[in-house]
mmCIF file of all heavy atoms in Angstrom:
data_model
loop_
_atom_site.group_PDB
_atom_site.id
_atom_site.type_symbol
_atom_site.label_atom_id
_atom_site.label_comp_id
_atom_site.label_asym_id
_atom_site.label_seq_id
_atom_site.Cartn_x
_atom_site.Cartn_y
_atom_site.Cartn_z
ATOM 1 N N VAL A 28 111.503 114.112 111.270
ATOM 2 C CA VAL A 28 110.033 114.161 111.065
ATOM 3 C C VAL A 28 109.435 112.797 111.230
ATOM 4 O O VAL A 28 108.399 112.567 111.897
ATOM 5 C CB VAL A 28 109.692 114.751 109.695
ATOM 6 C CG1 VAL A 28 108.223 114.579 109.375
ATOM 7 C CG2 VAL A 28 110.086 116.228 109.637
ATOM 8 N N VAL A 29 110.083 111.767 110.605
ATOM 9 C CA VAL A 29 109.560 110.394 110.692
ATOM 10 C C VAL A 29 109.592 109.892 112.109
ATOM 11 O O VAL A 29 108.607 109.329 112.618
ATOM 12 C CB VAL A 29 110.389 109.474 109.752
ATOM 13 C CG1 VAL A 29 109.947 108.031 109.960
ATOM 14 C CG2 VAL A 29 110.168 109.853 108.319
ATOM 15 N N VAL A 30 110.703 110.058 112.769
ATOM 16 C CA VAL A 30 110.820 109.598 114.201
ATOM 17 C C VAL A 30 109.825 110.313 115.071
ATOM 18 O O VAL A 30 109.176 109.686 115.931
ATOM 19 C CB VAL A 30 112.275 109.792 114.683
ATOM 20 C CG1 VAL A 30 112.361 109.503 116.182
ATOM 21 C CG2 VAL A 30 113.208 108.873 113.926
ATOM 22 N N ALA A 31 109.698 111.651 114.889
ATOM 23 C CA ALA A 31 108.737 112.394 115.714
ATOM 24 C C ALA A 31 107.319 111.932 115.493
ATOM 25 O O ALA A 31 106.505 111.816 116.427
ATOM 26 C CB ALA A 31 108.896 113.892 115.426
ATOM 27 N N LEU A 32 106.973 111.658 114.224
ATOM 28 C CA LEU A 32 105.631 111.187 113.911
ATOM 29 C C LEU A 32 105.350 109.851 114.563
ATOM 30 O O LEU A 32 104.299 109.657 115.198
ATOM 31 C CB LEU A 32 105.499 111.086 112.389
ATOM 32 C CG LEU A 32 104.162 110.525 111.887
ATOM 33 C CD1 LEU A 32 103.031 111.437 112.214
ATOM 34 C CD2 LEU A 32 104.228 110.325 110.360
ATOM 35 N N ILE A 33 106.302 108.923 114.462
ATOM 36 C CA ILE A 33 106.123 107.598 115.050
ATOM 37 C C ILE A 33 106.018 107.704 116.577
ATOM 38 O O ILE A 33 105.111 107.070 117.201
ATOM 39 C CB ILE A 33 107.259 106.677 114.662
ATOM 40 C CG1 ILE A 33 107.243 106.384 113.159
ATOM 41 C CG2 ILE A 33 107.204 105.360 115.447
ATOM 42 C CD1 ILE A 33 108.415 105.580 112.657
ATOM 43 N N LEU A 34 106.877 108.481 117.194
ATOM 44 C CA LEU A 34 106.819 108.637 118.665
ATOM 45 C C LEU A 34 105.538 109.293 119.121
ATOM 46 O O LEU A 34 104.945 108.908 120.136
ATOM 47 C CB LEU A 34 108.047 109.452 119.129
ATOM 48 C CG LEU A 34 109.417 108.797 119.021
ATOM 49 C CD1 LEU A 34 110.493 109.730 119.439
ATOM 50 C CD2 LEU A 34 109.446 107.479 119.826
ATOM 51 N N MET A 35 105.064 110.298 118.350
ATOM 52 C CA MET A 35 103.805 110.982 118.750
ATOM 53 C C MET A 35 102.634 110.017 118.713
ATOM 54 O O MET A 35 101.826 109.944 119.652
ATOM 55 C CB MET A 35 103.577 112.156 117.813
ATOM 56 C CG MET A 35 102.269 112.891 118.096
ATOM 57 S SD MET A 35 102.016 114.232 116.942
ATOM 58 C CE MET A 35 100.372 114.766 117.437
ATOM 59 N N VAL A 36 102.520 109.286 117.592
ATOM 60 C CA VAL A 36 101.376 108.373 117.467
ATOM 61 C C VAL A 36 101.504 107.248 118.480
ATOM 62 O O VAL A 36 100.467 106.824 119.111
ATOM 63 C CB VAL A 36 101.345 107.811 116.020
ATOM 64 C CG1 VAL A 36 100.224 106.776 115.926
ATOM 65 C CG2 VAL A 36 101.112 108.912 115.004
ATOM 66 N N ALA A 37 102.700 106.747 118.709
ATOM 67 C CA ALA A 37 102.905 105.678 119.687
ATOM 68 C C ALA A 37 102.556 106.128 121.118
ATOM 69 O O ALA A 37 101.889 105.440 121.856
ATOM 70 C CB ALA A 37 104.310 105.164 119.617
ATOM 71 N N GLN A 38 103.015 107.322 121.485
ATOM 72 C CA GLN A 38 102.756 107.861 122.802
ATOM 73 C C GLN A 38 101.266 108.049 123.050
ATOM 74 O O GLN A 38 100.748 107.628 124.113
ATOM 75 C CB GLN A 38 103.493 109.181 123.001
ATOM 76 C CG GLN A 38 103.407 109.751 124.392
ATOM 77 C CD GLN A 38 102.303 110.794 124.556
ATOM 78 O OE1 GLN A 38 101.970 111.478 123.596
ATOM 79 N NE2 GLN A 38 101.727 110.883 125.754
ATOM 80 N N ARG A 39 100.551 108.615 122.071
ATOM 81 C CA ARG A 39 99.105 108.833 122.236
ATOM 82 C C ARG A 39 98.356 107.515 122.168
ATOM 83 O O ARG A 39 97.383 107.308 122.868
ATOM 84 C CB ARG A 39 98.611 109.793 121.156
ATOM 85 C CG ARG A 39 99.204 111.209 121.246
ATOM 86 C CD ARG A 39 98.857 111.894 122.541
ATOM 87 N NE ARG A 39 97.432 112.024 122.716
ATOM 88 C CZ ARG A 39 96.716 113.046 122.232
ATOM 89 N NH1 ARG A 39 97.322 114.025 121.572
ATOM 90 N NH2 ARG A 39 95.419 113.116 122.447
ATOM 91 N N GLY A 40 98.799 106.617 121.257
ATOM 92 C CA GLY A 40 98.090 105.365 121.105
ATOM 93 C C GLY A 40 98.256 104.439 122.305
ATOM 94 O O GLY A 40 97.299 103.750 122.709
ATOM 95 N N LEU A 41 99.420 104.404 122.878
ATOM 96 C CA LEU A 41 99.687 103.534 124.031
ATOM 97 C C LEU A 41 99.059 104.086 125.330
ATOM 98 O O LEU A 41 98.903 103.365 126.311
ATOM 99 C CB LEU A 41 101.196 103.375 124.249
ATOM 100 C CG LEU A 41 101.897 102.556 123.103
ATOM 101 C CD1 LEU A 41 103.408 102.521 123.364
ATOM 102 C CD2 LEU A 41 101.340 101.155 123.013
ATOM 103 N N SER A 42 98.700 105.361 125.344
ATOM 104 C CA SER A 42 98.036 105.983 126.516
ATOM 105 C C SER A 42 96.729 105.213 126.847
ATOM 106 O O SER A 42 96.331 105.165 127.994
ATOM 107 C CB SER A 42 97.697 107.416 126.302
ATOM 108 O OG SER A 42 98.716 108.152 125.804
ATOM 109 N N THR A 43 96.081 104.687 125.815
ATOM 110 C CA THR A 43 94.836 103.956 126.029
ATOM 111 C C THR A 43 95.021 102.840 127.006
ATOM 112 O O THR A 43 94.178 102.602 127.871
ATOM 113 C CB THR A 43 94.332 103.411 124.672
ATOM 114 O OG1 THR A 43 94.179 104.502 123.749
ATOM 115 C CG2 THR A 43 93.018 102.668 124.835
#
Side-chain angles (χ1 to χ4, degrees):
V28 170
V29 173
V30 172
L32 176 64
I33 293 175
L34 290 178
M35 177 183 175
V36 176
Q38 185 265 330
R39 296 297 301 273
L41 293 176
S42 314
T43 303

